[in-house]
Amino acid sequence: MLAAAEQLMNLDWLNIQAAAAVSLADTTLLNADTMGFVYELKMALKAMGDMRAPKPTFSTDQIPDLTGRVMIVTGGNTGIGKETIKVLLQHNAKVYMASRSPQKAEAAIAELKEETGKEAVFLELDLTSYASIHKAAEEFLSKEEHLHVLFNNAGLMLCPIDMLGPEDYDLQWFTNVVGVYTVMAPAHFGALTGPLEGPFLFTKLLLPALIAGKASSPDGHTRIIATSSSGSYLGIIHWDTLKDGPARRKTNSQELYFQSKFANVVVTRQLAKRYADQGIIAVSLNPGQCDIIAVVGP
């Protein structure tokens, strides 16, 4: 898929769109290999199109008063997470900044307090550690009965290939997917159409508070919001690369990142389908091109 994207970079934008339109319109003439390329082309076009996204029609000024709402933002001490917390504080939400480094979190909380007059609550969370995830969830649940929005924002990007998580999982996969959702059954995801089994960690451990939160939410719903990426358009899940081994070593950090962002979309959609009847709305998003510092390792 990366090869398709690289080819596109050498072609004129309008010619790309025209060629793709013709190919997609007459798929009856295409064999399986060509169909695969057309799909890759379509996804690469979508990713490139997001780089030219129009100006937003929504402003943060349109966010209603969030007094009484409790929210968690993972990876909240920098980048998208920090900006999210800033806006939530400005609208009177109680926000937990779930971050790995106490020093960085405390500095970010102090800075946000100067800017907003409101103070976020630090929640220590290291998504590369089972113990830390359990501890963070237990600490939150000891303080709050209701959780109205969980922003699954934290993640790693483009780690060196030799970086691994617990149980020899690829570090990006573990941090961006397993540590966040932990819907991992014995065979990685297991059957996604079956009941969610496994340790479930952060999101799973917080589900009781999310389900309870609908009672105090004005619209009767709570939310799980996952920060994905335009890279999700360029990735699929290669099951033999999730843990370290020959297949993983033959790929590269970018491909591993893309598949983790694609998994964010897949898992969030499953959460939406499975918990809709319990009042939970789950969505994933592509934040677009952002001027942020990428976290490349623990």
Side-chain angles (χ1 to χ4, degrees):
M1 192 166 290
L2 281 176
E6 289 169 357
Q7 291 177 39
L8 291 178
M9 299 304 292
N10 297 320
L11 298 176
D12 177 75
W13 178 251
L14 294 178
N15 288 339
I16 291 170
Q17 291 180 310
V22 172
S23 298
L24 294 172
D26 192 9
T27 56
T28 59
L29 302 178
L30 305 179
N31 59 31
D33 289 340
T34 307
M35 283 291 288
F37 175 78
V38 169
Y39 174 78
E40 292 182 359
L41 181 63
K42 183 178 179 181
M43 292 298 99
L45 283 170
K46 188 169 180 61
M48 291 176 68
D50 283 358
M51 296 179 185
R52 304 186 178 197
K55 291 183 178 180
T57 58
F58 177 82
S59 166
T60 55
D61 293 336
Q62 296 172 253
I63 297 174
D65 180 55
L66 299 175
T67 298
R69 237 71 65 83
V70 179
M71 309 192 182
I72 295 176
V73 181
T74 67
N77 63 278
T78 189
I80 296 170
K82 185 179 178 184
E83 288 300 311
T84 300
I85 291 178
K86 178 180 177 180
V87 172
L88 296 175
L89 290 174
Q90 288 173 333
H91 291 82
N92 303 314
K94 182 177 183 179
V95 187
Y96 285 79
M97 179 186 289
S99 302
R100 183 176 63 236
S101 168
Q103 294 76 21
K104 292 180 179 179
E106 289 167 5
I109 288 171
E111 183 179 334
L112 289 171
K113 186 175 181 180
E114 286 186 10
E115 295 179 1
T116 68
K118 311 289 175 58
E119 188 169 359
V121 182
F122 174 54
L123 181 66
E124 187 169 356
L125 172 66
D126 181 354
L127 288 172
T128 67
S129 165
Y130 283 122
S132 177
I133 296 167
H134 276 284
K135 183 181 178 181
E138 289 167 5
E139 180 181 342
F140 175 82
L141 294 172
S142 71
K143 297 177 178 178
E144 306 287 350
E145 294 183 4
H146 293 179
L147 175 60
H148 298 100
V149 185
L150 169 60
F151 290 87
N152 281 326
N153 168 76
L156 298 179
M157 180 179 182
L158 307 180
C159 299
I161 199 76
D162 59 348
M163 284 189 170
L164 298 173
E167 301 175 17
D168 285 341
Y169 277 109
D170 172 70
L171 186 60
Q172 291 182 106
W173 180 263
F174 190 91
T175 304
N176 297 353
V177 186
V178 184
V180 176
Y181 306 100
T182 314
V183 297
M184 305 295 279
H188 305 307
F189 270 148
L192 283 175
T193 55
L196 290 175
E197 301 292 348
F200 288 95
L201 297 188
F202 202 56
T203 300
K204 177 60 178 178
L205 290 170
L206 294 173
L207 282 173
L210 283 161
I211 293 170
K214 66 182 181 182
S216 56
S217 179
D219 67 355
H221 293 88
T222 57
R223 288 161 174 79
I224 300 170
I225 301 174
T227 303
S228 183
S229 164
S230 58
S232 64
Y233 305 138
L234 305 174
I236 59 174
I237 299 172
H238 297 279
W239 303 106
D240 55 355
T241 67
L242 304 189
K243 285 192 171 185
D244 198 31
R248 179 179 173 277
R249 294 282 170 168
K250 289 178 182 178
T251 185
N252 60 70
S253 184
Q254 189 175 49
E255 292 280 6
L256 294 170
Y257 173 72
F258 288 165
Q259 78 172 2
S260 77
K261 294 289 99 180
F262 175 69
N264 288 160
V265 177
V266 173
V267 177
T268 304
R269 176 165 172 74
Q270 286 298 314
L271 289 169
K273 294 174 69 175
R274 298 177 190 201
Y275 293 99
D277 62 349
Q278 297 185 62
I280 296 177
I281 297 171
V283 296
S284 59
L285 61 90
N286 168 18
Q289 301 303 109
C290 302
D291 184 12
I292 61 172
I293 298 174
V295 179
V296 296

